[in-house]
Amino acid sequence: MIRRDYLIVGAGAGGISAVEGIREHDKKGTIMLVGNETAMPYQRPLLFGTLLRKTGNHAVEKLCVHDGAWFQKHHVDLRLDTFVTQFNIERHLAVLGNGQAVEFRKALLATGSRARRPQVAGGNLGNVFYLRSLRDVQALREIAETEHQIVIVGGGCIALETASLLAQLPKAQVTLMHRAPLWSRTLGPEGSAWLGEYLVKHGIKLMIGETLNGFEGRTVLRNVQTKSGQRFPAGLAIVAAGAEPNLGLVLNTPLAYPHGTPVNEYLETDEKGIFAAGDVAAYPDKILGGVRRVEHWDAAVAQGHVAGANMTGKKRIKFEYLPHATSAIFDLRFDFVGDFTRPPTRIEFEGDLAKKKFIVRGFQLNALMCVALCNQPAEKVEAAKTQLREWPRSKKTETI
């Protein structure tokens, strides 16, 4: 039996940040950090841009959050390429993939999320990718050098970022398929139309209003089908249709709900001594209202640090966070601040689309809920955050 003061399941942003939070307040407590990937913990937001432009170990090393020496220095029992197969809430006991049992005093669930897979024919064919890990992107980079007819299914940040990066590869012919106008709830109808034209000008073919029906091929992708009956050749497909929280470890327990693992303002679950952070944590949002689950690296880092500090028992920190994500598409840098989960009832536009510098504010009735900024300086982003934080509470609307 292995005994540890702290067991952290998941070696991503939330897990690593939790280790840092623990060590700030507890220098001696024993920590086990379990991750199912073989690589040292890395910065996922930099994954696509770094590896789709560069190859080799040097590029991978630049992505690492900490090297092995850091974990040794901070006395962390790091278990890579390891799964937790069982998690007993009542007994505070976990079982690793090699059969070892771990008894813990406190635990953090930071298991992240997985790519959502549409239920269509051919989804498991070779050269059909669901981007999530370092290994996925390394394989994609290799195949993209020889397969030039590329289809990307989806219309979110990952879909557009990947399309812009792949379109810059020699001979690449990139098609982006999405069932609705791009970012219409974020930029409004005018901004959405402008974004579509911008992508086309940069060599990306758009199929807007089309829905994926399936992939064709014996073992490797050869064609893509749409529900409208279109059928066209493709040697490489990327499905970027969102993500869903990894809750399999706590399935059929009070820690697994459709919207994530419920936690309080201290990121602790109703099960004493068990915390959650990152993509799985559904936390009370004190700024915008309601219960929120955020799939952003920065959010996971912030949650992990707070959870780690609270796990030591030497701090009692409430988690408060205003969602902020960034996206780079060719020469456009977007900052998204606030709640973009629902279509706004009213949009305010400021700036000039032709100059590629503008701000879009989204409202739910009278409540400012989100701000999208394109190629704006840091002070404008901070001003948007301040505006959202200071918006009168009586005007907030509840969101989930």
Side-chain angles (χ1 to χ4, degrees):
M1 174 78 71
I2 302 172
R3 290 180 173 83
R4 295 289 182 266
D5 293 313
Y6 308 101
L7 172 65
I8 301 173
V9 186
I16 297 299
S17 185
V19 172
E20 296 170 349
I22 291 170
R23 279 295 177 248
E24 282 186 21
H25 306 285
D26 183 353
K27 306 295 185 184
K28 297 181 179 179
T30 54
I31 302 174
M32 178 182 286
L33 175 64
V34 180
N36 59 19
E37 293 194 52
T38 56
M40 296 296 292
Y42 55 87
Q43 302 179 63
R44 200 175 298 273
L46 303 180
L47 195 57
F48 304 131
T50 301
L51 294 189
L52 288 180
R53 291 192 182 102
K54 302 175 183 178
T55 57
N57 292 330
H58 184 61
V60 174
E61 289 170 1
K62 282 189 172 182
L63 296 175
C64 290
V65 180
H66 296 300
D67 59 15
W70 186 91
F71 291 100
Q72 292 179 0
K73 178 182 176 181
H74 291 86
H75 306 289
V76 178
D77 181 5
L78 176 62
R79 304 290 184 101
L80 297 177
D81 196 20
T82 302
F83 285 86
V84 175
T85 58
Q86 298 178 47
F87 189 82
N88 191 300
I89 297 171
E90 292 78 16
R91 296 177 59 192
H92 279 209
L93 191 70
V95 178
L96 306 181
N98 61 7
Q100 289 182 311
V102 182
E103 187 179 62
F104 56 85
R105 187 169 59 86
K106 302 280 183 67
L108 175 72
L109 295 173
T111 49
S113 57
R114 61 185 178 275
R116 186 175 288 116
R117 295 186 173 224
Q119 299 302 305
V120 297
N124 293 321
L125 285 172
N127 291 7
V128 176
F129 284 84
Y130 305 86
L131 298 181
R132 205 67 194 164
S133 69
L134 173 64
R135 186 175 295 176
D136 294 335
V137 180
Q138 287 175 322
L140 170 64
R141 179 67 176 86
E142 184 176 337
I143 292 171
E145 291 180 350
T146 56
E147 295 289 350
H148 304 307
Q149 292 181 308
I150 304 170
V151 174
I152 298 174
V153 180
C157 289
I158 290 179
L160 268 63
E161 287 176 16
T162 306
S164 70
L165 290 166
L166 290 175
Q168 297 176 59
L169 295 178
K171 300 182 182 179
Q173 301 171 33
V174 178
T175 299
L176 182 71
M177 179 194 303
H178 191 48
R179 63 176 180 270
L182 298 172
W183 295 9
S184 57
R185 70 165 58 179
T186 306
L187 303 181
E190 185 181 0
S192 173
W194 169 84
L195 180 61
E197 292 171 3
Y198 174 87
L199 294 175
V200 171
K201 287 179 182 177
H202 282 76
I204 297 174
K205 180 182 177 181
L206 295 184
M207 297 182 67
I208 303 300
E210 291 287 358
T211 304
L212 177 69
N213 189 56
F215 301 106
E216 293 180 346
R218 290 190 176 181
T219 57
V220 177
L221 175 68
R222 287 290 175 261
N223 298 294
V224 176
Q225 292 182 345
T226 71
K227 287 191 176 178
S228 68
Q230 291 195 56
R231 179 173 177 266
F232 54 94
L236 171 61
I238 299 159
V239 180
E244 50 195 15
N246 285 322
L247 297 172
L249 186 62
V250 291
L251 201 62
N252 301 320
T253 76
L255 303 184
Y257 282 81
H259 61 275
T261 296
V263 294
N264 60 22
E265 57 191 352
Y266 300 102
L267 301 180
E268 187 172 16
T269 71
D270 285 341
E271 305 296 331
K272 189 172 176 59
I274 299 177
F275 295 71
D279 293 3
V280 299
Y283 67 93
D285 188 336
K286 300 301 183 183
I287 300 175
L288 298 173
V291 175
R292 191 169 307 282
R293 188 177 64 83
V294 181
E295 295 172 356
H296 299 157
W297 176 271
D298 289 343
V301 169
Q303 288 180 351
H305 194 269
V306 169
N310 289 337
M311 288 169 74
T312 67
K314 298 177 182 179
K315 278 287 182 179
R316 194 73 170 156
I317 305 172
K318 293 182 179 180
F319 179 71
E320 187 177 287
Y321 178 78
L322 183 62
H324 177 204
T326 62
S327 184
I329 301 167
F330 293 110
D331 60 345
L332 304 178
R333 177 194 162 92
F334 288 96
D335 287 270
F336 304 107
V337 184
D339 175 20
F340 290 88
T341 60
R342 295 180 298 166
T345 57
R346 178 168 62 90
I347 280 178
E348 289 183 357
F349 182 89
E350 171 191 330
D352 190 335
L353 289 171
K355 293 181 179 179
K356 299 181 284 190
K357 291 184 178 181
F358 55 86
I359 300 173
V360 182
R361 296 179 180 88
F363 295 81
Q364 286 287 332
L365 300 178
N366 291 322
L368 176 66
M369 298 302 291
C370 57
V371 183
L373 306 95
C374 179
N375 290 337
Q376 296 295 320
E379 54 265 29
K380 291 279 190 178
V381 178
E382 291 306 312
K385 291 181 178 180
T386 299
Q387 189 178 21
L388 280 161
R389 287 181 182 276
E390 294 180 352
W391 199 264
R393 294 283 178 174
S394 61
K395 294 184 181 179
K396 302 290 185 185
T397 56
E398 187 162 305
T399 181
I400 295 179

